[in-house]
Amino acid sequence: MTEHTAADDHALAAELATEAGRLLLAVRAEVGHGDPRVLKDTGDLRAHEHLMAAIAERRPGDAVLSEEGRSSAAGKRSRGGADRAPTGNTRDADRLAADRVWIVDPLDGTREYSEEGRADWAVHVALWVKGELAAGAVALPAQGVTLRTVPGGARAGETDLRVPEPEPGKLRIAVSRTRPPEFVQRLAEKLDLDVTLVPIGSAGAKISAVLLGEVDAYVHAGGQYEWDSAAPAAVALAAGAHASRVDGSPLAYNRPDPTLPDILVCHPVSASTLLTGIRDVSDALPG
């Protein structure tokens, strides 16, 4: 088996996410916003096929788990693309036995991608190695930046990235644009802080907003999978943020069931307050 250095893996994650982001911008320009469904599917599938081919070429021995490699995505078709179904993921048995697994979301925030002028969508590329997230990159193509892990830390573009502390007494929490969880509203009312809920599109864009100081926390429960959080969590942890399940337990990846429904990302100084508050409103958490 070919050995790859950690620095190579960090660089490759950033390269793959950034290139897929450029491809998605080109698809947006080519297809236009006249039919949102066609734009969503075309972007999803072209970015997926690009990442699958690039990983197969650059890391041929590695396994892949992609949102668009699921059997449920087989009915999607890309405009101007082949009639065949999307390239499938590595078989579960092989993925679970592998030492290295790329966990990717070719287009996180398809709704925002299909809406003209919106920039809160992302490309996620993460590498899991022997039980841990080893590298990750979140491209924000319409914002012109990729947040990425590097040896010993994280960067936004070429700028070192450290999660900023919130302003004392205040907290801005990123929530879904279309389906803000009831429990986050309850949490905001419970906290002894001046809390503002900030609607943002994709999970990657929300976690990036925490790391860039545009909000102070992201709290979510319900309806997410490993590809929604692997890359942003890798960057967040490398940038010194707290990232966990909403009960405080560690995030775990490359499991038989890729469902990973909840996450908390914030500055470490806010973690205890938020985890206590979440516990106090746990009756409102989605079942």
Side-chain angles (χ1 to χ4, degrees):
M1 183 178 71
T2 302
E3 294 293 335
H4 304 287
T5 68
D8 290 342
D9 289 331
H10 290 300
L12 181 58
E15 178 186 330
L16 295 176
T18 302
E19 287 181 349
R22 291 195 189 105
L23 181 153
L24 284 163
L25 288 173
V27 170
R28 238 184 176 187
E30 173 196 331
V31 176
H33 294 80
D35 187 332
R37 172 52 59 190
V38 170
L39 179 56
K40 291 176 187 176
D41 286 355
T42 302
D44 259 338
L45 295 182
R46 289 195 195 173
H48 166 76
E49 294 296 346
H50 173 81
L51 290 170
M52 295 296 277
I55 294 170
E57 177 185 358
R58 304 286 291 277
R59 296 291 189 268
D62 292 358
V64 184
L65 174 64
S66 166
E67 179 179 19
E68 298 306 320
R70 299 170 298 164
S71 59
S72 58
K76 286 188 176 181
R77 292 293 182 269
S78 167
R79 194 180 88 169
D83 289 333
R84 64 179 172 78
T87 303
N89 287 322
T90 304
R91 290 191 317 137
D92 283 351
D94 295 334
R95 172 174 64 83
L96 296 171
D99 287 340
R100 295 168 52 90
V101 181
W102 293 88
I103 302 174
V104 304
D105 188 343
L107 173 53
D108 180 57
T110 52
R111 179 191 297 269
E112 286 72 28
Y113 175 72
S114 72
E115 294 180 17
E116 191 168 8
R118 293 206 69 90
D120 47 350
W121 51 276
V123 179
H124 297 175
V125 177
L127 175 63
W128 175 98
V129 178
K130 297 180 180 178
E132 303 288 341
L133 294 174
V138 179
L140 301 170
Q143 300 180 40
V145 66
T146 296
L147 281 63
R148 57 197 175 96
T149 59
V150 296
R155 290 181 186 160
E158 297 305 318
T159 303
D160 287 342
L161 186 62
R162 295 293 295 178
V163 61
E165 282 195 43
E167 186 177 343
K170 297 183 177 181
L171 201 69
R172 300 162 296 174
I173 302 177
V175 296
S176 170
R177 287 179 61 215
T178 55
R179 44 188 172 83
E182 177 192 350
F183 93 92
V184 178
Q185 182 63 53
R186 292 266 306 277
L187 171 65
E189 295 166 357
K190 189 78 175 179
L191 295 174
D192 188 21
L193 295 167
D194 178 6
V195 177
T196 303
L197 301 185
V198 183
I200 299 177
S202 81
K206 294 185 188 80
I207 295 172
S208 296
V210 176
L211 303 181
L212 294 170
E214 296 163 0
V215 296
D216 303 306
Y218 173 42
V219 187
H220 180 84
Q224 287 193 350
Y225 296 84
E226 292 185 10
W227 45 77
D228 291 306
S229 65
V235 179
L237 291 167
H242 170 94
S244 72
R245 303 286 302 271
V246 294
D247 64 0
S249 61
L251 297 160
Y253 296 92
N254 194 35
R255 298 160 308 147
D257 178 359
T259 303
L260 187 52
D262 58 74
I263 187 169
L264 165 65
V265 177
C266 62
H267 189 281
V269 76
S270 301
S272 177
T273 298
L274 284 166
L275 288 168
T276 300
I278 293 168
R279 186 166 59 245
D280 289 344
V281 298
S282 58
D283 60 312
L285 285 168

